[in-house]
Amino acid sequence: MDLLKNIDSPADLRRLNRSQLKPLADELRAFVLDSVSKTGGHLSSNLGTVELTIALHYVFNTPEDRIVWDVGHQTYPHKILTGRRDQMHTLRQMDGISGFPRRAESPFDTFGTAHSSTSISAALGMALAARSQGHQRHAVAVIGDGAMTAGMAFEALNNAGVHEDVKLLVILNDNDMSISPPVGALNRYLARLMSGKFYATARNVGKSVLPGPMLELAKRLEEHAKGMVMPATLFEEFGFNYIGPIDGHDLDALVPTLQNLRNLKGPQFLHVVTRKGQGYKLAEADPVLYHGPGKFNPDEGIKPGKPGKLTYTQVFGNWLCDMAAHDQRLVGITPAMREGSGMVQFEQRFPERYYDVGIAEQHAVTFAAGMACEGMKPVVAIYSTFLQRAYDQLIHDVALQNLDVTFALDRAGLVGADGATHAGNYDLAYLRCIPNMVVMAASDENECRQMLSTAFDYPGPAAVRYPRGTGVGAAVQPGLATIALGTGEVRRQGKDIAILAFGTMLAPALAAGDELGATVVNMRFVKPLDIALVRELAQSHAAIVTVEEGCLPGGAGSAVAEALAEAGIVKPVLHLGLPDKFIDHGDAAALLGLCGLDAPGIARSIKQRFGKGEPRLVVNN
């Protein structure tokens, strides 16, 4: 690490000779592999962007020139070169650095990302702001081929193409590999662009963008090569000057191409081809397995773990296959998260009923609505945080028409190392305010399966939320049993205090109830709420406590308070849930403890509120 250890900022990088960049890339790649193997995190994507990162910081005057990384899970080399090398051992850990770009972390992180397809919009905004302010800085958006499937990317291209003098460069990092296999017409277009007879010539166009007597020849070569591959590229029709494709691991191609593009006027589009897992044979062979590994020995690679408890994602995947075998109308829809949502087996068994629409959450929801209009029963498997991107479609295209669409919301609540951008903290609040919606929160694995069947049988829009990872280890019963709509259940009979638990908060609530002698209820439904049970509990107890792994404003606790107010019942109520702030990355269990949502925290909050001074209320310490 002779070169890397002396680089604390891109200014140090820019003092190197061009001949030193290749050995630096080797050192940087080795550092990324060693670092991620010790902390866990995204690996394949970061190994693939080593040379591109070096070239960008070598050519552009960062941070004065702005680089916006789409999604941002490929920015570990960027972090290492921008002064955070010695902090990489804290990656994605509590009080450590984020696994994604974060403006508060470094001036080199010009835009916070983690959801896809935002980079071109943000970079265009920065470029036009610079123009308005009289600055000459550049804005660069680095976007992957998977992220290019989202409509937002094309909205930005459409807007950018009309600004002929903007200093904007869009780099398409084309590795033919999103988290799930790439899909759609754009992917086929890129494949044709790279597989034509003259691809070898076309990829050398980048090297030929040179000043002097070679300029005219380069122009002719470029037009000839692109014309033989495709008469007119899609991106040129948007108003961009298209260059490429070039080898994204060839610094001798990247650096001079970027240097020349930096001197051109108007929106530029550079198409680079990279390989996920580059330089680490195991990751090259299986980039999906090495997309986001935990800790592992890089000499041995990732070893299969011992079978353990079923994850909620596996519970969903098994249910989906069983229900599909039972009902021919079921179709499964995912926005590019086949593996993450547990749909691999479903695609294998029912390929004609499996639809991966790419990173296009808005389209996924309205596509499901269209299928429901024709009598199909779509199941949209989507992370809670990603459904936020399709909120308008959820309201206008599904709920307003009361269409029969089931939403399986994975990653509900805190998600740990991925942090605030991926946490599903808001679904209970944003779903329960929508007319016609049924909203359920699973307390264990078996109940999750039953709720999925309940949602599927309900003739309208229904959502089941469940967390990442494993649950309490409840045995999952076969069959497709359902739950009576809008009914909760008393799980522990006590006195004075009634704890109303929603979803996975049932287990810690039961433990707190044992300590306090309180009644504990598994509410199950956020909407329709079991109002009769809420009223009964309020009449027979001195105080009500609601507990949810979701945001407090507008959440399940608010629904209980509204029900009591509507019934004219005045009763002390304590709401426990996630605070009104974004919660950082870290171990999920530890974060819940910090939020007071583990068993000791729940008991402690109840004692602090009701320990003394409340009539008819005695809590044993």
Side-chain angles (χ1 to χ4, degrees):
M1 301 295 170
D2 292 336
L3 292 171
L4 186 60
K5 69 181 181 181
N6 293 315
I7 295 179
D8 296 316
S9 75
D12 298 325
L13 169 64
R14 290 190 281 270
R15 282 192 282 267
L16 297 180
N17 296 322
R18 280 268 302 273
S19 61
Q20 295 175 292
L21 297 185
K22 178 60 172 70
L24 173 64
D26 294 337
E27 292 182 19
L28 182 55
R29 181 168 281 109
F31 189 92
V32 168
L33 176 59
D34 179 69
S35 178
V36 175
S37 71
K38 294 175 179 175
T39 63
H42 295 97
L43 181 61
S44 297
S45 55
N46 284 287
L47 294 176
T49 57
V50 167
E51 288 83 6
L52 179 59
T53 304
I54 290 173
L56 283 169
H57 283 295
Y58 190 75
V59 171
F60 288 92
N61 184 30
T62 55
E64 174 63 17
D65 290 329
R66 315 300 202 215
I67 300 177
V68 181
W69 299 88
D70 210 280
V71 182
H73 64 305
Q74 77 279 41
T75 54
Y76 299 179
H78 161 81
K79 288 176 181 278
I80 294 165
L81 294 176
T82 54
R84 287 164 280 183
R85 181 184 65 251
D86 294 337
Q87 296 174 271
M88 286 298 290
H89 68 282
T90 71
L91 183 75
R92 292 159 45 95
Q93 300 172 45
M94 195 175 298
D95 299 323
I97 62 175
S98 172
F100 302 96
R102 192 177 184 189
R103 282 173 55 82
E105 190 176 292
S106 169
F108 292 93
D109 292 0
T110 61
F111 195 77
T113 55
H115 287 191
S116 85
S117 314
T118 61
S119 61
I120 305 176
S121 297
L124 175 61
M126 293 174 180
L128 291 178
R131 188 182 70 179
S132 297
Q133 296 164 356
H135 297 303
Q136 295 302 309
R137 61 175 174 259
H138 292 73
V140 181
V142 184
I143 184 168
D145 54 316
M148 281 296 297
T149 63
M152 187 174 178
F154 284 90
E155 292 173 15
L157 289 175
N158 183 57
N159 186 202
V162 301
H163 298 284
E164 297 180 357
D165 58 343
V166 70
K167 291 181 176 294
L168 174 69
L169 169 61
V170 175
I171 298 177
L172 174 61
N173 177 25
D174 186 355
N175 52 38
D176 197 35
M177 179 47 220
S178 49
I179 298 174
S180 293
V183 298
L186 177 65
N187 177 257
R188 293 179 182 177
Y189 170 84
L190 295 175
R192 289 199 305 270
L193 197 63
M194 295 190 308
S195 63
K197 182 177 179 181
F198 284 86
Y199 169 52
T201 303
R203 65 183 290 198
N204 286 323
V205 167
K207 298 180 182 180
S208 302
V209 183
L210 299 171
M214 293 295 292
L215 183 59
E216 185 61 31
L217 176 61
K219 289 181 179 179
R220 292 180 181 178
L221 175 62
E222 178 180 1
E223 293 304 317
H224 174 72
K226 287 192 292 186
M228 294 301 295
V229 176
M230 190 64 62
T233 72
L234 173 68
F235 308 106
E236 286 176 330
E237 295 299 324
F238 273 108
F240 282 76
N241 174 44
Y242 174 90
I243 298 294
I246 66 171
D247 186 348
H249 300 298
D250 184 354
L251 285 161
D252 289 333
L254 281 172
V255 171
T257 300
L258 290 172
Q259 287 173 333
N260 282 279
L261 287 172
R262 192 171 185 268
N263 295 323
L264 297 179
K265 294 182 179 180
Q268 307 295 320
F269 194 102
L270 175 62
H271 183 174
V272 303
V273 181
T274 62
R275 184 175 187 179
K276 275 197 172 183
Q278 174 74 14
Y280 183 50
K281 297 301 183 183
L282 294 174
E284 290 178 7
D286 194 344
V288 173
L289 178 64
Y290 287 86
H291 170 73
K295 300 177 183 179
F296 70 100
N297 184 335
D299 293 330
E300 299 177 355
I302 298 174
K303 301 297 183 183
K306 296 179 180 178
K309 294 187 293 185
L310 279 177
T311 65
Y312 280 96
T313 302
Q314 290 170 325
V315 170
F316 166 73
N318 294 339
W319 170 85
L320 188 65
C321 290
D322 292 344
M323 185 59 81
H326 173 75
D327 193 326
Q328 296 293 317
R329 297 173 297 168
L330 182 150
V331 292
I333 300 170
T334 176
M337 294 302 293
R338 180 188 67 174
E339 286 80 9
S341 292
M343 299 182 72
V344 173
Q345 184 183 8
F346 176 79
E347 183 201 16
Q348 294 170 348
R349 290 183 56 185
F350 306 97
E352 73 286 354
R353 289 194 270 162
Y354 167 80
Y355 297 94
D356 183 345
V357 301
I359 304 177
E361 294 86 359
Q362 294 171 311
H363 166 60
V365 172
T366 304
F367 172 61
M371 297 200 102
C373 286
E374 301 302 323
M376 304 299 286
K377 289 181 69 68
V379 176
V380 180
I382 189 168
Y383 290 7
S384 170
T385 185
F386 295 151
L387 185 57
Q388 294 164 187
R389 310 188 85 183
Y391 194 58
D392 179 72
Q393 289 71 24
L394 183 63
I395 295 174
H396 282 262
D397 299 338
V398 176
L400 184 63
Q401 303 184 89
N402 200 25
L403 293 174
D404 189 1
V405 180
T406 296
F407 294 91
L409 303 189
D410 205 329
R411 271 66 167 181
L414 298 178
V415 294
D418 281 335
T421 56
H422 282 59
N425 297 353
Y426 312 106
D427 49 47
L428 296 182
Y430 74 64
L431 287 173
R432 80 171 191 86
C433 66
I434 303 175
N436 296 328
M437 284 293 304
V438 167
V439 185
M440 291 171 271
S443 66
D444 63 36
E445 301 91 330
N446 188 54
E447 190 170 77
C448 181
R449 182 179 173 97
Q450 293 174 342
M451 286 182 172
L452 289 165
S453 295
T454 304
F456 188 80
D457 282 359
Y458 178 72
V464 180
R465 60 120 56 177
Y466 47 91
R468 180 178 187 171
T470 59
V472 297
V476 179
Q477 301 299 320
L480 300 170
T482 60
I483 299 170
L485 197 67
T487 60
E489 58 175 0
V490 177
R491 294 289 294 270
R492 186 190 189 280
Q493 189 63 57
K495 61 179 183 178
D496 292 332
I497 297 174
I499 305 175
L500 281 57
F502 292 86
T504 54
M505 289 294 96
L506 178 62
L510 283 169
D514 288 340
E515 179 182 346
L516 303 174
T519 295
V520 180
V521 182
N522 179 18
M523 290 303 294
R524 302 195 294 200
F525 290 83
V526 179
K527 187 177 184 179
L529 190 70
D530 192 338
I531 295 176
L533 180 57
V534 170
R535 291 180 178 179
E536 177 188 328
L537 293 166
Q539 291 168 354
S540 59
H541 293 76
I544 299 292
V545 178
T546 66
V547 190
E548 60 193 297
E549 191 181 345
C551 64
L552 281 172
S558 296
V560 172
E562 292 163 10
L564 292 173
E566 187 174 350
I569 298 173
V570 179
K571 193 71 68 170
V573 181
L574 171 63
H575 298 305
L576 301 179
L578 298 176
D580 187 19
K581 66 179 183 179
F582 294 111
I583 298 171
D584 229 337
H585 50 271
D587 177 77
L591 292 173
L592 283 173
L594 289 176
C595 294
L597 294 180
D598 55 359
I602 293 171
R604 182 172 58 251
S605 295
I606 294 174
K607 290 177 184 179
Q608 288 173 350
R609 171 70 186 276
F610 300 123
K612 48 188 173 181
E614 293 287 345
R616 295 177 47 238
L617 202 58
V618 178
V619 177
N620 296 323
N621 288 293

